[in-house]
Amino acid sequence: MKPKVGTYTFTVESSFCDINGKLSLSSLFQLLLKSAGKHADERDFGYSVLFKQNKTWVLSRVGIYMEQYPCFAEELVVKTWIYDVDRFFSKRCFEFYAQSGNKIGEAQTYWSVIDVNLRKSCNINELNMPMTNFCEPVDASNGKTIIRIKALNVEPIFTHKPKYSDIDINQHFNSVRYLDYMLDTFDVDIFVRRMIKTFEITYLAEALPDDTLAFCRKEVGEGSYQFEIKEITLEKNGLQSCCGICLEGNVYLP
């Protein structure tokens, strides 16, 4: 049987880097997702198994906590495992290591399974997958809890209708693209002076190709920002009505 913990090594390519020549948070997010996918596929509960049943894994919550980021041409080691599984959610943990062997960060993610045709959540325990055989009750998040954010009640910074590059294999707005647009609300020079230590996001509903999204941001403390992305209806006189929160997020820049 495969070990409970999967270990994956990546080399930081130039296309993965930000303005400082370090692994960008978006690229780290992508490598997190790639590691999760490889770990699940190797243990027979990944996308390829669910795809045959017209079902798929979708992210529900993500918390990433970093002390540093590797530079161009350095290696990043990702360790990941299933912490717990219940009826509708699975918690997956991550640890990130530099090529020196030093731990540089950690993450927690929550996943659910949806029926692709019905767009409804499925009971994971009824899917005949061997996930419980691989649970490792070691919580990498060290007691951290992803913050739930109330409505911000601020004007949107911008609105956006999903484009071709925003939509993924699940036919909805790609989870990493939310992060890209959130970070694009800042001036570039802020990331020259400061690094992102904490990124948390909760996906409350999926955004589909025909939706229009409003991106709202509020500074809630020194270096701490909260986001709210809403699905909206646009009328001739501008922002007319909010149809429901699509997601909420938290970014900490010390």
Side-chain angles (χ1 to χ4, degrees):
M1 188 172 74
K2 288 279 187 180
K4 294 180 179 179
V5 179
T7 303
Y8 307 97
T9 301
F10 304 95
T11 299
V12 179
E13 302 174 14
S14 58
S15 59
F16 295 172
C17 292
D18 63 9
I19 193 172
N20 299 308
K22 295 184 177 182
L23 182 68
S24 69
L25 180 57
S26 293
S27 296
L28 176 69
F29 200 165
Q30 293 279 15
L31 296 179
L32 176 155
L33 295 176
K34 185 171 184 177
S35 299
K38 287 174 66 69
H39 180 272
D41 280 333
E42 292 167 355
R43 290 156 182 80
D44 297 322
F45 53 86
Y47 283 98
S48 56
V49 172
L50 288 175
F51 183 76
K52 297 173 184 177
Q53 306 174 45
N54 286 321
K55 296 177 176 61
T56 187
W57 286 107
V58 293
L59 268 177
S60 174
R61 286 181 284 168
V62 181
I64 300 175
Y65 314 98
M66 300 299 293
E67 294 299 324
Q68 67 182 77
Y69 294 83
C71 296
F72 167 65
E74 292 182 347
E75 289 185 344
L76 172 72
V77 178
V78 181
K79 293 186 177 182
T80 183
W81 63 94
I82 299 295
Y83 175 77
D84 192 18
V85 181
D86 62 23
R87 291 175 62 206
F88 294 107
F89 293 99
S90 170
K91 181 177 181 179
R92 174 182 286 278
C93 293
F94 299 81
E95 291 180 338
F96 306 111
Y97 293 84
Q99 63 184 25
S100 64
N102 294 329
K103 182 180 173 181
I104 58 174
E106 59 201 21
Q108 56 178 314
T109 58
Y110 292 81
W111 301 74
S112 61
V113 174
I114 65 167
D115 184 296
V116 174
N117 296 323
L118 300 177
R119 314 306 292 186
K120 291 184 178 180
S121 295
C122 305
N123 188 331
I124 298 174
N125 295 326
E126 295 178 351
L127 296 178
N128 266 340
M129 298 190 298
M131 290 187 67
T132 54
N133 297 334
F134 296 98
C135 288
E136 181 66 61
V138 177
D139 192 351
S141 55
N142 292 321
K144 297 183 180 73
T145 301
I146 298 173
I147 298 172
R148 291 300 303 268
I149 299 169
K150 297 180 181 179
L152 297 184
N153 296 318
V154 296
E155 290 297 315
I157 296 176
F158 69 92
T159 61
H160 176 73
K161 186 172 178 60
K163 304 295 191 295
Y164 167 77
S165 60
D166 296 323
I167 305 302
D168 63 18
I169 191 172
N170 294 328
Q171 305 297 308
H172 62 198
F173 206 91
N174 182 275
S175 54
V176 181
R177 294 293 282 163
Y178 288 112
L179 168 60
D180 289 333
Y181 286 113
M182 291 162 71
L183 296 184
D184 282 347
T185 65
F186 296 98
D187 293 332
V188 173
D189 65 347
I190 195 172
F191 300 110
V192 175
R193 297 178 286 108
R194 304 160 84 173
M195 64 166 277
I196 302 169
K197 293 203 68 173
T198 298
F199 171 71
E200 298 176 330
I201 190 167
T202 299
Y203 300 92
L204 300 176
E206 60 181 350
L208 302 175
D210 290 334
D211 294 335
T212 298
L213 304 178
F215 285 74
C216 306
R217 189 188 80 193
K218 182 178 182 180
E219 186 170 7
V220 294
E222 177 59 34
S224 184
Y225 300 85
Q226 292 182 349
F227 288 83
E228 181 182 39
I229 294 103
K230 303 177 182 180
E231 179 192 355
I232 63 171
T233 299
L234 286 176
E235 308 260 344
K236 290 183 179 179
N237 58 347
L239 183 61
Q240 180 73 9
S241 62
C242 297
C243 303
I245 299 172
C246 287
L247 62 86
E248 54 192 24
N250 181 60
V251 173
Y252 176 54
L253 290 154

